[in-house]
Amino acid sequence: MSSIEINKDTYLKWYESMLLMRKFEEKTGQVYGQQKIRGFCHLYIGQEAVLAGAMSVLRHEDSMITAYRDHAHAIAKGTHPNAVMAEMYGKVTGCSKGKGGSMHMFDKENRFFGGHGIVGGQIPLGAGIAFAEKYNGTDNVCVTYMGDGAVRQGALNETFNMASLWKLPVIFVCENNGYAMGTSVERTTIETDIYKLGLPYGIPSSAVDGMDPVAVHTAMNEAVDRARAGEGPTFLEMRTYRYKGHSMSDPQKYRTKEEVESYKAKDPIEIVKQTIEKEGYADEKWFEEIEAKIKGQVDEAIKFAEESPWPDASELYTDVYVQQDYPFIRENV
């Protein structure tokens, strides 16, 4: 059982947060099609319950790190939607000053540490953040997200071994949406129950229904309690699904429309809405007000991004080295 109660307020927050992620990503896809966002772009549509269920457990002081499907993670962790959209536009008001784009969000204030383009590259970094928390004597945790394709990286095994040995306060979360880019899990691994990869390292591991924020909340609560108590890492395989392609350039020929529709039938936002209606937590007027509020937030984010300035050319030389007078940067070479 969860030590953090799931109540009316929890459901209302889940609905609002998931709807914001969904509408933000839908608008992102639209403006990408208008070429206002360039480069790669990976949408999170369908996977919102994984974040909603986690955020009802985590504290602001806890850290989060993930791969390049990161817009929703940044928003969930507290980054303002304006800063996320501006970052994708490449504007100086973005959370990474327009230098990171869609794949490299970063927000130190809200303890969101990326946004990493190297597949699996964030896994050892997440353990490192957890090590820092333990070294400094806090009870903060680090949640390290990865896709199902990243678990094939050797760094995962090295990190699992060290995290377990040192009992680091890290929760490893595999967002298993069934496909590493366009290749199904069944075609890439002999062990399709991904959570079992943590067991040889003595890490408590389990599969979770990633389409259900209640299941996510409950599993994350147990994992966070263990980490805060100094009992070490947990590995959770969140079985979820993305409705869109791996990226905006994905023709999605590797799966059927029927498969996609079968997952949409258990859409987490609709399931939460049905519970709210059934329990009488809110009426239709509330839903209409939330819809209008989120539409306003998304519209504001677009307006903010489009009206924000581009970075000055001098920004090419900032945020590169910690040392401000680094001697090997020369002008007019």
Side-chain angles (χ1 to χ4, degrees):
M1 295 295 292
S2 173
S3 63
I4 299 178
E5 181 185 4
I6 298 174
N7 52 31
K8 171 184 174 180
D9 288 342
T10 312
Y11 271 97
L12 297 182
K13 288 179 181 177
W14 280 346
Y15 182 80
E16 183 174 349
S17 66
M18 287 195 293
L19 192 63
L20 175 58
M21 295 179 218
R22 177 72 57 87
K23 296 301 183 182
F24 185 92
E25 291 289 69
E26 288 176 348
K27 179 59 73 171
T28 295
Q30 292 176 13
V31 294
Y32 185 91
Q34 298 168 2
Q35 298 188 350
K36 293 181 178 180
I37 295 174
R38 304 299 183 94
F40 291 105
C41 184
H42 308 79
L43 302 180
Y44 198 69
I45 297 172
Q47 300 183 206
E48 297 89 353
V50 175
L51 283 173
M55 293 311 302
S56 53
V57 173
L58 297 173
R59 303 186 306 215
H60 179 267
E61 295 80 13
D62 295 322
S63 299
M64 182 185 292
I65 190 169
T66 188
Y68 43 78
R69 194 183 305 278
D70 61 349
H71 320 150
H73 293 76
I75 291 173
K77 196 62 178 71
T79 307
H80 199 287
N82 289 8
V84 176
M85 188 63 74
E87 184 58 39
M88 288 191 285
Y89 269 63
K91 298 300 184 70
V92 73
T93 53
C95 56
S96 299
K97 298 184 181 179
K99 300 178 181 182
S102 168
M103 298 171 67
H104 302 96
M105 302 285 167
F106 189 91
D107 187 347
K108 180 180 178 181
E109 180 181 345
N110 286 296
R111 301 194 62 77
F112 179 68
F113 298 106
H116 292 268
I118 302 299
V119 176
Q122 76 280 11
I123 299 173
L125 295 178
I129 294 169
F131 174 82
E133 297 291 1
K134 183 171 184 176
Y135 183 86
N136 289 321
T138 77
D139 69 343
N140 300 332
V141 305
C142 178
V143 185
T144 302
Y145 291 91
M146 67 199 78
D148 48 275
V151 302
R152 247 66 72 193
Q153 296 293 333
L156 176 131
N157 297 281
E158 298 173 17
T159 303
F160 274 15
N161 181 67
M162 186 173 290
S164 184
L165 178 65
W166 290 348
K167 294 189 181 301
L168 299 182
V170 56
I171 297 104
F172 299 106
V173 177
C174 174
E175 298 191 72
N176 180 8
N177 58 33
Y179 298 94
M181 296 186 72
T183 306
S184 66
V185 171
E186 291 79 8
R187 292 179 60 197
T188 58
T189 179
I190 193 65
E191 180 53 79
T192 55
D193 289 326
I194 290 175
Y195 73 91
K196 293 181 180 178
L197 297 178
L199 299 178
Y201 299 98
I203 299 176
S205 307
S206 61
V208 182
D209 182 358
M211 303 297 281
D212 178 8
V214 175
V216 175
H217 173 103
T218 303
M220 285 292 295
N221 191 195
E222 181 179 349
V224 168
D225 283 349
R226 288 190 67 257
R228 296 204 202 283
E231 297 175 10
T234 300
F235 181 40
L236 300 175
E237 177 195 348
M238 301 288 181
R239 293 177 175 174
T240 183
Y241 199 79
R242 54 173 165 80
Y243 301 160
K244 301 296 184 178
H246 171 74
S247 69
M248 289 296 294
S249 60
D250 180 5
Q252 306 183 62
K253 294 181 179 180
Y254 48 84
R255 59 183 182 177
T256 64
K257 292 181 179 179
E258 290 74 20
E259 179 183 299
V260 177
E261 291 303 315
S262 71
Y263 279 93
K264 287 184 177 181
K266 49 184 178 182
D267 184 87
I269 299 177
E270 287 303 313
I271 296 300
V272 167
K273 182 178 182 181
Q274 290 170 15
T275 301
I276 292 172
E277 292 174 331
K278 179 183 177 182
E279 298 296 330
Y281 290 154
D283 56 19
E284 191 58 35
K285 181 181 178 182
W286 182 85
F287 286 110
E288 292 174 357
E289 290 173 348
I290 291 299
E291 286 266 4
K293 175 183 176 181
I294 288 172
K295 182 181 184 302
Q297 288 176 313
V298 174
D299 289 345
E300 179 191 342
I302 293 293
K303 185 174 186 292
F304 178 81
E306 294 190 346
E307 294 179 354
S308 291
W310 299 101
D312 186 81
S314 63
E315 283 293 321
L316 286 169
Y317 300 98
T318 64
D319 306 312
V320 179
Y321 299 99
V322 172
Q323 184 178 337
Q324 293 299 313
D325 59 345
Y326 193 71
F328 299 107
I329 297 179
R330 294 185 297 168
E331 297 182 7
N332 303 321
V333 175

